[in-house]
Each structure stands twice: as structure tokens, then as C-alpha cells.
Amino acid sequence: AVYCHNASPFYRLSLKEAMMDPKFALFNMLYKYLYGINIKKNDFVIVQQDWLRQRFEKIYGVTRAIVAYPSVHAPSDRWSTGMNSDTRSKFFYPSFPRIFKNFETICEAVKILSARGMDDFSVTFTFQGNENRYARSLLRRYGGLRQIRFEGLLDRKEVEEYYRDADCLIFASKLETWGLPISEFKYYDKPMLLSDLAFSHEAAGDYDKAAFFKPDDAVQLAGLMEDQIKGSLAFQPCRKVEPGPLFAQNWDQLFKILLG
């Protein structure tokens, strides 16, 4: 069996993005061909979501693909620690600065809200701005926005503290094999603003506090953020659709399939 975790071949990369993140561009070009080498000689191909299985079936003609959901770490404490006294609306986006993470849409939404005279909110990113070319570009273009906090890399305990303190998660990524922060933040029963893509819907599953936006539509995201700040955010239906066979809800079920 082969476990295929890298979804980079299925992202439509622009030349500008390739220049900004050459490592990802290399993955994007090569993995499509690397995945295809002897892939049909495996008894099983394992992926994390159904949309990814559909891509493998279409591109490589595999017929024994398993969707195996990842295990999600449950927090020991869901309640706010009051880590700071900031009373502004707090948005949180925990992601490393890769080009497909789509920080620009959030930053442009912040610019729109700032132009409207709104200053009673903050958006925290988990990088400082010196990690790579893309991060430096984001800091250069948007570092002057006072509502954005470039917090730096965080360990798991610190991420959980930010989850507890945040009012809303933003997950703007355009490509994920799962989107783990979505699953993790669900434990806190707070609003989430998610890119309107297949992976986000599948990761959110049954959740009644999610709203979705087009990944490149900063105006739409700004509207949702403003609604959240004002306490008038309208949530959108989000329901779990369990994948068809072969499907494993957890590691135990996966190994039962593998071992027959």
C-alpha cells in the first residue's frame, strides 16, 4: 500500500506563484509523475479525503483507493485562558507561509475593513515574515496594517492557547489533504470562515458555525469578517457526507482493511 499525502500536483500554479515559492513549484511539477510510477502495483492507495481519491482515480486509473480520515488531537481544555486583555474581535489563521495558503486574500480583506474605518479587530498569523521569500513578500506588502499580527511559529500548546482565545478561525488555504486546524477548532464550538472548496467542507463535516468564501474574493471575506465583528454572521449549512467504500474513519479501521 502507498500513502499519498502530498496534494501539490493537483494545484494550478501561476508563474508568479512559482517564482515566489520555487520549492512548492518543484513539487507541483514532479509529484504528478512520481505518483504515477508503479502506482497500480499497489494493493491499495491511501488518501485522506474523497476529493483526493477522485483525482487519483481519474488521473492514474486506480481502483483500490482508501479514504482514511486522520486522527484529531482533542484539547485538554476548551475554555479561554484570558491570555491577553485585548477586547477586539480576534481572528486566527495557523499556517506556515506557503503560496497556496492564500494569506493575500485575508490581508486584502483587512485592507478593505481598514479603509471602512474598522479597527476593532486583529488577525494573527503564525509566522514572522522572515521564513521564506513568500513570507518576506507578505510582511513587506502588509506589515503596515496594524490589525495584522505576525506572531511567529508556535508549538502545539501555544496554538491551543490561541484557539481558546480566538473569536473566529480563518482558513483561507486553496489546497489541503485535510486542513487539520478546521478539525481542531471545531472542539471550541466557535465560528469559522473557510475557503469554499471541497476539502474545507469535508474537514468541517457536521458543524453549524461555519461560513464559506471564494478563496480569491477578498471583498466577500471582508463582509463575513465585518459580520463576525458585529455579531451578525450568518452561518451556512455544513453537513457530513461519508465517503463510499473503501473508507476508514480511523487508524483501526484502516488496518482492518489493509490486513483483510
Side-chain angles (χ1 to χ4, degrees):
V2 58
Y3 194 108
C4 298
H5 183 267
N6 193 315
S8 61
F10 311 110
Y11 184 77
R12 183 169 294 181
L13 190 70
S14 69
L15 179 59
K16 180 180 179 181
E17 290 174 322
M19 294 176 64
M20 190 64 64
D21 196 341
K23 182 178 180 180
F24 178 71
L26 185 63
F27 285 162
N28 180 259
M29 289 185 292
L30 294 182
Y31 256 87
K32 181 177 181 179
Y33 302 102
L34 293 174
Y35 272 151
I37 298 173
N38 294 328
I39 192 168
K40 291 186 178 179
K41 291 189 176 182
N42 292 282
D43 294 314
F44 299 100
V45 174
I46 306 166
V47 296
Q48 288 189 331
Q49 287 194 332
D50 197 43
W51 78 267
L52 197 53
R53 170 166 60 188
Q54 293 175 26
R55 296 294 183 91
F56 272 90
E57 290 174 343
K58 180 178 180 180
I59 294 173
Y60 302 110
V62 298
T63 58
R64 298 274 289 171
I66 305 171
V67 174
Y69 282 176
S71 299
V72 180
H73 174 79
S76 56
D77 182 6
R78 297 190 305 170
W79 311 114
S80 175
T81 58
M83 58 185 290
N84 62 60
S85 57
D86 189 352
T87 58
R88 299 181 299 172
S89 293
K90 295 180 283 292
F91 298 89
F92 184 44
Y93 183 24
S95 285
F96 191 78
R98 294 295 184 201
I99 196 71
F100 58 89
K101 294 295 186 177
N102 192 28
F103 289 94
E104 289 92 342
T105 297
I106 299 176
C107 293
E108 289 296 323
V110 172
K111 285 179 63 175
I112 291 169
L113 294 177
S114 182
R116 294 175 184 173
M118 299 190 65
D119 191 39
D120 54 343
F121 71 97
S122 65
V123 179
T124 298
F125 295 147
T126 54
F127 65 95
Q128 286 186 316
N130 58 2
E131 289 81 358
N132 54 33
R133 186 181 303 175
Y134 180 50
R136 291 190 292 272
S137 173
L138 291 168
L139 182 62
R140 182 176 64 254
R141 288 182 288 162
Y142 302 109
L145 293 172
R146 57 183 295 178
Q147 298 92 340
I148 296 178
R149 299 175 54 189
F150 295 89
E151 191 64 23
L153 299 179
L154 305 175
D155 61 29
R156 172 163 290 282
K157 182 178 180 181
E158 290 171 324
V159 169
E160 289 185 357
E161 289 175 353
Y162 273 91
Y163 281 154
R164 286 192 290 268
D165 196 58
D167 297 299
C168 181
L169 178 81
I170 303 179
F171 202 78
S173 180
K174 296 180 179 181
L175 179 74
E176 298 291 334
T177 54
W178 184 262
L180 200 56
I182 298 173
S183 298
E184 293 174 337
F185 200 71
K186 285 173 64 177
Y187 282 101
Y188 298 86
D189 196 32
K190 299 178 185 179
M192 298 190 290
L193 305 180
L194 310 176
S195 53
D196 193 5
L197 297 170
F199 81 83
S200 295
H201 286 270
E202 192 165 354
D206 288 319
Y207 197 65
D208 60 2
K209 292 184 179 179
F212 297 87
F213 60 94
K214 295 178 181 178
D216 293 316
D217 194 336
V219 175
Q220 183 186 19
L221 176 57
L224 294 175
M225 292 174 68
E226 183 172 356
D227 289 344
Q228 166 62 22
I229 293 167
K230 293 179 177 179
S232 58
L233 180 63
F235 301 118
Q236 298 165 247
C238 188
R239 294 292 176 262
K240 180 178 179 180
V241 178
E242 190 169 289
L246 301 166
F247 170 61
Q249 183 70 52
N250 51 51
W251 285 109
D252 287 341
Q253 291 182 12
L254 173 61
F255 278 99
K256 287 180 180 178
I257 295 172
L258 295 177
L259 299 176

